[in-house]
Amino acid sequence: VKIAALAGGVGGARLCHGLYQVSPERLSVVVNTGDDFRLHGLTLCPDFDTVLYTLAGWADPVQGWGVAGDTWNCWNQLQKLGGESWFRLGDQDLATHLYRSQRLAEGARLTQICQELSVRAGLSCALLPMADQPVPTRLRLPRGWVEFQDYFVRAQHQEAVLECRYEGANVVPPTPEVVAALSAADRIVLAPSNPFLSLRPILSLQGMADVWRACPARRVAVSPMIGSQAVKGPLAALLQSHGHPVNSLGIAQLLWEWADVLIIDEGDRELAAPIEALGLKVELAPTLMKDAPDRRRLAEVALRA
Ligand code: FO1
C-alpha cells in the first residue's frame, strides 16, 4: 500500500512518525511550507524540519521542534551582539538552515534539497515540500496583516486571527513530485495538523482541487481536537474566530470535502452523528500521542479506517 500524508507542525509530524514506523519505504509526506521565512539571511522551513527531525528521531521530545539536546551557543552570542533573537535557533538546527540556504543559493530546487536532507538523516521515505516557490501564510489580526511567524512565535499566537491568506497559492502549483505521490497513493492521510495553518496552505495550491478529485486513494483525516482542546497551538481560538464549533465537528466542517473518513478521539463519541451528517465516516480512536507506540497505533488506525 502506498501512503501519502499531508502534514505540518508537531502533531502532524508525530503521526507521520507512526506511519513511518509502519511503512518506511512506501510513505511520502507532503509538508506545508506556508510557515517558511527568512531570518539572518537564511531560509528556514520550520514545518519541514519538524517532520525531518521527528522521523529521524532527532526532535526535541518536549517542545516537538528543534533538535534534542541542542546547544544554544550561537543564539546566546547573537543575543549579546543585539541580533534578532525572538526565533530561537539551536546550534545543530542552524546547520540545517545553513545547508538549505547554501543549496538554494546554488540554484537547487527546494524539493531536491529536502531529499538530500532526508537521505542524509537516514530516512527511506520521501519528504516533499508542497511547493518549490514560496507561498507564505499571512494572517489578519486586529492590528492588521502580519507574517506567519510574527504572529506564531514573536507574538506567541496570543492575538485573534480574523483571516488567513496563502499568498501566491492561486498561481503556485504543487510540485510534480507531490502530484505524483498523491496520484499513486492508495491512501492519503491528513495528519492532525492545524487545518488553517498547515493543511489549507497545501490544499489551496493552484490545481490541487483537480489533483485531489482525480486521486483514487481513500482519504483519511485525523482530528487534532480532543474535546474542546487542541493538543498544541492556537487551533481552538482559530476555530472560534472563524465561527466553527471548537471541537472535532469544527474540523469536520473544514475538511469534509477533502476526506472520506475522520478519526476523532474516543472521548468525543457524541460528535460522531453530527459529523456523519456531513458525509464523513467517523472512526473513534485514542488520538493523543504520548510516545512512539501511540503514534504507531494511531497510524495503524488511519491505515485501516
Ligand atoms: N517555535 C517557537 O514557539 N519558538 C521558537 O523560538 C521556535 C524556534 C524554531 C526553530 C526551528 C524550528 O524548526 C522550529 C521552531 N519553532 C519555534 C517552531 C515553529 O515556529 C513552529 O513549529 C511552526 O512554524 C508552526 O507550525
Side-chain angles (χ1 to χ4, degrees):
V1 177
K2 286 195 180 139
I3 308 159
L6 268 55
V10 172
R14 288 180 171 161
L15 182 68
C16 290
H17 181 232
L19 295 167
Y20 186 72
Q21 291 177 60
V22 176
S23 183
E25 256 114 50
R26 316 206 72 190
L27 172 66
S28 302
V29 184
V30 179
V31 186
N32 171 45
T33 57
D35 64 337
D36 293 7
F37 71 118
R38 288 183 61 82
L39 185 68
H40 315 307
L42 304 172
T43 298
L44 274 58
C45 304
D47 274 0
F48 179 86
D49 293 346
T50 297
V51 174
L52 175 75
Y53 298 158
T54 303
L55 269 55
W58 297 350
D60 184 287
V62 178
Q63 55 194 12
W65 51 266
V67 176
D70 214 344
T71 51
W72 302 91
N73 295 308
C74 178
W75 184 72
N76 288 333
Q77 186 71 6
L78 194 63
Q79 274 192 306
K80 251 186 233 165
L81 298 175
E84 272 196 85
S85 57
W86 57 274
F87 199 87
R88 298 194 298 133
L89 298 181
D91 297 328
Q92 293 180 62
D93 185 31
L94 190 56
T96 309
H97 315 309
L98 293 173
Y99 181 86
R100 174 187 298 117
S101 303
Q102 172 63 23
R103 292 288 290 124
L104 283 169
E106 289 165 7
R109 289 171 63 210
L110 185 60
T111 298
Q112 168 70 28
I113 300 165
C114 289
Q115 198 210 331
E116 292 165 5
L117 289 168
S118 46
V119 167
R120 309 250 163 90
L123 298 179
S124 42
C125 64
L127 295 190
L128 307 171
M130 67 186 196
D132 283 321
Q133 300 90 336
V135 182
T137 297
R138 297 219 164 84
L139 304 168
R140 189 163 66 83
L141 311 180
R143 64 179 155 110
W145 285 96
V146 303
E147 304 289 321
F148 175 80
Q149 297 293 357
D150 225 1
Y151 155 78
F152 198 88
V153 173
R154 201 199 287 260
Q156 292 294 298
H157 47 74
Q158 293 305 304
E159 295 150 292
V161 176
L162 308 171
E163 208 179 322
C164 305
R165 196 184 277 168
Y166 316 114
E167 213 75 59
N170 56 329
V171 290
V172 175
T175 66
E177 288 82 355
V178 167
V179 174
L182 292 173
S183 306
D186 302 295
R187 189 159 288 248
I188 297 176
V189 178
L190 292 108
S193 300
N194 188 315
F196 298 98
L197 304 179
S198 293
L199 298 179
R200 276 189 164 174
I202 306 175
L203 298 172
S204 302
L205 292 170
Q206 190 239 310
M208 190 55 127
D210 293 332
V211 170
W212 205 261
R213 262 192 295 276
C215 286
R218 188 164 173 82
R219 301 155 311 167
V220 179
V222 181
S223 175
M225 293 296 292
I226 299 181
S228 59
Q229 309 278 316
V231 176
K232 207 170 186 292
L235 175 56
L238 272 147
L239 285 167
Q240 171 105 49
S241 66
H242 284 75
H244 295 282
V246 184
N247 55 32
S248 285
L249 177 58
I251 301 301
Q253 290 177 353
L254 293 165
L255 296 180
W256 66 274
E257 286 180 289
W258 299 91
D260 304 302
V261 183
L262 182 65
I263 299 174
I264 65 173
D265 193 69
E266 56 187 359
D268 290 331
R269 188 175 297 269
E270 78 284 357
L271 298 174
I275 293 173
E276 290 196 326
L278 292 168
L280 280 163
K281 181 174 175 281
V282 171
E283 282 279 332
L284 295 163
T287 58
L288 186 65
M289 294 173 278
K290 293 181 297 293
D291 53 20
D294 283 354
R295 298 172 186 178
R296 185 181 176 122
R297 272 191 292 274
L298 186 55
E300 281 167 348
V301 174
L303 296 176
R304 268 198 319 265

